[in-house]
Amino acid sequence: GKLASVTGDNCMTHHVVYSDVDFNRHVNSARYVEWMMDALPTEWVQTHDVTHFEVNYLQEALLGQDVHVRFESGTGQMLSVVQDEAGRDLCRMKLIGVQ
């Protein structure tokens, strides 16, 4: 299904580099998930076993672009989004985890 955007203040910035893109200069889809996982609080990652995740790819990030990764937590879940510099959502993810 379609995931909601994240409006939380928790934010990490990533500069899209050459190793993030494939031969067609498109960001590899796994990179979005890696960026979102890297932005999560270490405590949440260490205390939860991820049982399910859902990803919505919306728009492409570009080589040389700065993207912002935001997240917010709920009961047993973590929501995350990659946004461009204008605040447009590029990718959204929901993780379901159990302690």
Side-chain angles (χ1 to χ4, degrees), residues 21-54:
V21 299
D22 60 22
F23 292 110
N24 295 317
R25 297 187 183 237
H26 299 135
V27 172
N28 183 301
S29 59
R31 293 294 194 193
Y32 295 96
V33 175
E34 290 173 0
W35 300 339
M36 290 185 279
M37 292 298 294
D38 288 344
L40 297 179
T42 303
E43 179 182 320
W44 192 90
V45 175
Q46 291 177 340
T47 59
H48 290 77
D49 291 323
V50 175
T51 59
H52 175 78
F53 74 95
E54 183 176 345

Side-chain angles (χ1 to χ4, degrees), residues 11-85:
C11 184
M12 176 190 88
T13 300
H14 176 78
H15 184 76
V16 180
V17 296
Y18 190 73
S19 62
D20 292 325
V21 299
D22 60 22
F23 292 110
N24 295 317
R25 297 187 183 237
H26 299 135
V27 172
N28 183 301
S29 59
R31 293 294 194 193
Y32 295 96
V33 175
E34 290 173 0
W35 300 339
M36 290 185 279
M37 292 298 294
D38 288 344
L40 297 179
T42 303
E43 179 182 320
W44 192 90
V45 175
Q46 291 177 340
T47 59
H48 290 77
D49 291 323
V50 175
T51 59
H52 175 78
F53 74 95
E54 183 176 345
V55 180
N56 292 164
Y57 297 100
L58 306 169
Q59 286 187 292
E60 184 180 1
L62 304 174
L63 181 64
Q65 185 176 34
D66 286 329
V67 296
H68 306 290
V69 184
R70 299 184 186 284
F71 67 89
E72 58 188 41
S73 61
T75 305
Q77 69 179 11
M78 187 68 70
L79 303 174
S80 186
V81 64
V82 176
Q83 298 174 324
D84 66 13
E85 292 170 307

